[in-house]
């Protein structure tokens, strides 16, 4: 019997058109997510993004056929870069994103709380919102960032001045393309933070090859009874283990980069070197002025600080939460019960 993983990879190969490949992959995910077609090892497939070259016209056709604009489900998320003709589909959230997202949203929230209502109400924290207003060579593109901070201009129009993009199952090259699309395709975005997180080795379900008897011998509890505290961190940043099995590999690297638009060329440019979030030394401070994003007087200006050293604490909890989610999913897949997953289910602790 062909496994789901093989079925999906087969969907991305062969003589099929990019439209057919993408549509088949999405259909397989929808079946799995609804509980109609639960097979072992599915989660490790859908934790990875699906990327394919597809012409803009075919992307619009796919959007229409999927009734994309009418769906309320938060996932899958679709990002299309018209300059590179690349469609990237993110099928589910990753809990490790939260450790970085909260660091930056908290920094803005602290400053926002010190401002008068006339300024405070012009700042909005946005997640899970799709943006389509890209121009130039990126005309026709769309992107849903991990975090955007919108600032209302003098006319009251919200502008995503600050954008955070996090890569866990995404390549660094794709993240750089994100930076270029935001900073070169939208004149209202002025700061782009790229976060790159690496898990080593890449996740493979540790019980995917176990027969039913071997699986039973492990003595897993009901998946609803498992807790993140049941998992052990073998080292500071993983691996995370339970029942002698590895559910999350070591978080071997985590870094951020600050990108801005060059004042002369108008091109996206990295400012300074990457900042290592897991190093033995305290990460250098990252800060901006509120005036970088809003037209305000000197008296109202504030310095926005981000406590990156907190990341080392936050990521440990997120590693255990991800291990819990993966283990629970493996148990559910083994049971093979339908309707275990609600379509709108998002793991505890992930973005709403």
């Amino acid at each position: 019997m062909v496994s789901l993983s093989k079925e999906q990879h087969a969907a991305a190969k062969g003589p099929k058109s990019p439209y057919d490949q993408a549509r088949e992959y999405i259909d397989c995910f929808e079946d799995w997510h609804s509980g109609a077609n639960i097979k072992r090892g599915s989660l490790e497939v859908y934790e990875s993004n699906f990327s394919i070259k597809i012409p803009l016209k075919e992307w619009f056709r796919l959007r229409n056929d999927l009734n994309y604009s009418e769906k309320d489900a938060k996932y899958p998320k679709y990002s299309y870069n018209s300059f590179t003709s690349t469609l990237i589909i993110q099928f589910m959230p990753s809990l490790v994103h939260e450790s970085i997202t909260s660091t930056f949203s908290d920094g803005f929230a602290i400053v926002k709380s010190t401002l008068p209502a006339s300024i405070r109400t012009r700042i909005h924290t946005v997640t899970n919102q799709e943006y389509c207003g890209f121009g130039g060579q990126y005309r026709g593109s769309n992107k849903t960032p991990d975090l955007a901070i919108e600032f209302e201009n003098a006319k009251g129009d919200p502008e995503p001045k600050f954008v955070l993009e996090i890569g866990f199952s995404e390549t660094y090259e794709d993240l750089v393309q994100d930076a270029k699309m935001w900073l070169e395709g939208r004149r209202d975005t002025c700061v782009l933070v790229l976060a790159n997180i690496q898990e080593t080795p890449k996740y493979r379900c540790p019980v995917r090859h176990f027969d039913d008897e071997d699986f039973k011998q492990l003595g897993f509890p009901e998946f609803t009874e498992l807790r993140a505290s049941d998992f052990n961190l073998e080292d500071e940043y993983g691996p995370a283990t339970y029942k002698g099995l590895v559910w999350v590999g070591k978080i071997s690297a985590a870094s951020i980069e600050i990108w801005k638009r060059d004042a002369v060329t108008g091109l996206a440019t990295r400012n300074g070197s990457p900042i290592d979030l897991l190093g033995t030394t305290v990460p250098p401070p990252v800060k901006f002025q509120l005036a970088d994003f809003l037209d305000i007087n000197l008296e109202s200006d504030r310095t926005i600080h981000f406590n990156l050293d907190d990341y080392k604490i936050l990521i440990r909890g997120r590693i255990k939460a991800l291990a819990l989610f993966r283990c629970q999913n493996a148990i559910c897949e083994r049971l093979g019960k339908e309707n275990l997953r609600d379509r709108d289910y998002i793991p505890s602790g992930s973005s709403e």
Side-chain angles (χ1 to χ4, degrees):
M1 182 173 64
V2 179
S3 70
L4 180 61
S5 177
K6 289 181 180 178
E7 287 172 356
Q8 290 173 313
H9 286 298
K13 297 179 181 179
K16 298 175 184 176
S17 69
Y19 171 94
D20 289 336
Q21 293 176 45
R23 183 60 189 264
E24 186 171 344
Y25 210 95
I26 294 165
D27 288 344
C28 285
F29 169 76
E30 295 289 356
D31 284 347
W32 172 77
H33 195 214
S34 68
N37 191 17
I38 297 177
K39 295 185 180 180
R40 300 174 193 173
S42 306
L43 179 63
E44 63 195 61
V45 175
Y46 293 123
E47 277 195 352
S48 298
N49 292 349
F50 176 84
S51 177
I52 194 169
K53 297 283 187 179
I54 184 171
L56 179 61
K57 183 178 180 181
E58 289 297 282
W59 162 231
F60 284 154
R61 176 189 165 204
L62 182 63
R63 281 177 63 110
N64 291 334
D65 290 350
L66 292 170
N67 294 318
Y68 176 59
S69 60
E70 299 177 9
K71 291 189 175 181
D72 294 329
K74 299 178 179 66
Y75 288 88
K77 287 183 180 179
Y78 302 88
S79 297
Y80 185 75
N81 186 320
S82 61
F83 178 60
T84 62
S85 299
T86 302
L87 171 65
I88 297 177
I89 306 174
Q90 182 185 0
F91 289 98
M92 57 178 51
S94 171
L95 293 171
V96 298
H97 281 58
E98 290 304 293
S99 50
I100 292 183
T101 303
S102 62
T103 297
F104 284 93
S105 61
D106 288 351
F108 280 103
I110 291 171
V111 167
K112 187 176 176 180
S113 67
T114 70
L115 297 168
S118 59
I119 299 176
R120 184 173 65 246
T121 55
R122 295 171 60 195
I123 305 172
H124 314 287
T125 300
V126 178
T127 58
N128 291 308
Q129 178 171 314
E130 180 182 359
Y131 292 87
C132 301
F134 296 90
Q137 61 191 6
Y138 296 100
R139 183 180 178 86
S141 299
N142 66 282
K143 191 76 175 73
T144 303
D146 292 286
L147 174 71
I149 307 297
E150 292 183 343
F151 297 83
E152 292 183 9
N153 61 23
K155 295 181 178 179
D157 298 320
E159 299 175 326
K161 295 280 191 178
F162 176 94
V163 172
L164 171 66
E165 293 281 8
I166 304 171
F168 183 58
S169 57
E170 193 172 0
T171 67
Y172 176 74
E173 290 72 21
D174 286 338
L175 284 173
V176 171
Q177 286 298 326
D178 289 344
K180 292 179 177 180
M181 187 166 73
W182 280 107
L183 293 169
E184 297 173 15
R186 293 188 65 110
R187 304 307 299 178
D188 53 5
T189 301
C190 55
V191 175
L192 193 290
V193 175
L194 296 185
N196 190 22
I197 307 170
Q198 300 294 327
E199 177 187 8
T200 306
K202 186 176 179 180
Y203 176 64
R204 299 295 303 277
C205 179
V207 296
R208 64 189 182 280
H209 296 312
F210 283 39
D211 61 29
D212 290 340
E213 185 59 33
D214 288 340
F215 185 82
K216 185 177 180 180
Q217 290 297 319
L218 290 171
F220 282 104
E222 286 290 325
F223 71 94
T224 56
E225 297 176 0
L226 277 173
R227 297 293 182 267
S229 57
D230 295 327
F231 295 79
N232 299 312
L233 289 183
E234 301 299 320
D235 203 349
E236 196 170 15
Y237 307 116
T241 61
Y242 177 66
K243 297 288 185 180
L245 303 170
V246 176
W247 297 96
V248 177
K250 183 181 179 65
I251 302 303
S252 54
S255 63
I256 64 168
E257 298 178 1
I258 311 297
W259 287 66
K260 296 183 179 180
R261 185 185 305 104
D262 186 271
V264 177
T265 66
L267 300 178
T269 305
R270 190 181 75 191
N271 281 218
S273 301
I275 298 173
D276 183 6
L277 299 178
L278 301 180
T280 55
T281 58
V282 176
V286 172
K287 56 186 178 181
F288 302 103
Q289 293 302 125
L290 188 60
D292 294 337
F293 308 105
L294 274 176
D295 185 13
I296 53 178
N297 58 41
L298 184 61
E299 182 181 347
S300 299
D301 197 13
R302 302 285 192 279
T303 301
I304 308 168
H305 296 273
F306 305 101
N307 194 346
L308 298 179
D309 202 37
D310 285 353
Y311 177 77
K312 296 178 182 179
I313 301 172
L314 294 170
I315 187 60
R316 295 170 200 152
R318 295 296 85 197
I319 293 171
K320 285 191 173 186
L322 178 58
L324 170 64
F325 174 61
R326 287 173 171 176
C327 185
Q328 287 177 322
N329 211 286
I331 296 172
C332 290
E333 288 179 352
R334 180 66 60 156
L335 293 172
K337 293 181 179 178
E338 295 188 358
N339 302 319
L340 282 173
R341 301 176 186 82
D342 181 20
R343 279 188 178 275
D344 294 322
Y345 172 71
I346 291 183
S348 174
S350 64
S351 297
E352 290 295 328

